[in-house]
């Protein structure tokens, strides 16, 4: 999403957008393949817990060790990543408490420490991308609460390394969009994973 937003806002060229997307996907896929079928294999889920509630749950349950926030999706809604067994435990526990929990159809744990091993290769693979001045404002989900104005230059290699490694501040970006007067948001994706977070933030 951030790669597409960077291109749409004029921050990078189409060629650089495709380079970042393809190299990132390649490295993540190679990393996931190396640990497939092992205890280190990652998983992700969307859960009905806020950031503080998630931290409390992980602290109280050794079975959930290794779970990290991956996307701050909306009020009381977080996407998490971590070891597959830990994510399965969290989802089952929340379902038992009649809370929303949906495991995502992915093989890794994006936006968590699981991606640390690929960051060096990713930096080398996207070195030389050229950041351009924005043509329209950018509501960043990488830099929390930041709305970059027309003319700002933000999309260097470091921006996309942060995008890959750190949690996504989606709720903050959504709040900033509403604050700026936007009233219609559209999710462009094969499966709706952001709509619930946007709805929670709106309400």
């Amino acid at each position: 999403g951030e790669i597409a937003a960077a291109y749409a806002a004029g921050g990078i060229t189409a060629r650089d957008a495709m380079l970042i997307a393809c190299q990132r996907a390649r490295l993540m896929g190679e990393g996931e393949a190396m640990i497939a079928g092992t205890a280190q294999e990652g998983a992700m889920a969307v859960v009905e817990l806020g950031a503080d509630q998630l931290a409390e749950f992980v602290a109280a349950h050794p079975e959930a060790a290794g779970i990290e926030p991956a996307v701050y999706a909306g009020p009381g809604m977080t996407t998490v990543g971590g070891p597959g067994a830990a994510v399965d435990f969290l989802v089952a526990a929340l379902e038992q408490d009649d809370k929303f929990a949906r495991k995502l159809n992915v093989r890794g744990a994006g936006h968590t420490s699981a991606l640390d091993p690929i960051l060096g290769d990713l930096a080398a693979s996207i070195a030389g991308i050229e950041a351009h001045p924005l043509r329209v404002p950018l509501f960043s989900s990488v830099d929390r609460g930041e709305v970059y104005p027309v003319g700002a230059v933000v999309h260097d290699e470091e921006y996309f390394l942060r995008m890959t490694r750190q949690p996504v501040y989606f709720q903050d970006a959504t709040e900033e969009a509403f604050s700026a007067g936007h009233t219609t948001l559209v999710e462009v994706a094969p499966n709706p994973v952001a709509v619930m977070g946007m709805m929670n933030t709106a309400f």
Side-chain angles (χ1 to χ4, degrees):
E2 274 284 343
I3 300 170
Y7 169 68
I12 54 175
T13 64
R15 183 184 185 281
D16 281 349
M18 288 186 282
L19 172 71
I20 297 163
C22 291
Q23 295 297 340
R24 183 173 177 267
R26 175 183 65 81
L27 291 166
M28 289 177 68
E30 289 173 357
E32 291 163 4
M34 289 175 64
I35 59 174
T38 72
Q40 288 76 41
E41 186 170 11
M44 301 183 76
V46 181
V47 298
E48 188 183 343
L49 291 176
D52 292 341
Q53 295 171 307
L54 175 64
E56 291 170 4
F57 183 94
V58 173
H61 299 87
E63 301 93 336
I67 288 180
E68 302 173 38
V71 183
Y72 298 110
M77 188 71 60
T78 306
T79 300
V80 301
V87 172
D88 287 341
F89 174 83
L90 172 63
V91 169
L94 293 180
E95 287 177 340
Q96 195 168 22
D97 287 344
D98 292 325
K99 289 184 176 292
F100 179 86
R102 177 180 297 164
K103 191 172 179 182
L104 301 179
N105 186 25
V106 298
R107 292 195 305 162
H111 303 290
T112 71
S113 59
L115 298 187
D116 286 348
I118 74 165
L119 294 181
D121 286 338
L122 180 60
S125 297
I126 66 174
I129 64 170
E130 186 177 352
H132 295 274
L134 299 177
R135 293 193 302 264
V136 297
L138 177 78
F139 299 88
S140 178
S141 67
V142 173
D143 297 330
R144 186 175 189 180
E146 289 288 345
V147 180
Y148 290 107
V150 171
V153 179
V154 298
H155 293 110
D156 56 10
E157 295 99 326
E158 187 59 36
Y159 188 89
F160 293 104
L161 293 177
R162 295 198 305 278
M163 174 202 76
T164 297
R165 168 59 183 88
Q166 71 186 26
V168 179
Y169 296 105
F170 187 76
Q171 178 182 340
D172 297 87
T174 305
E175 289 173 353
E176 293 293 346
F178 286 138
S179 295
H182 297 287
T183 57
T184 302
L185 303 178
V186 179
E187 179 177 12
V188 182
N191 295 296
V193 295
V195 167
M196 287 187 65
M198 288 192 288
M199 288 174 61
N200 284 6
T201 302
F203 290 129

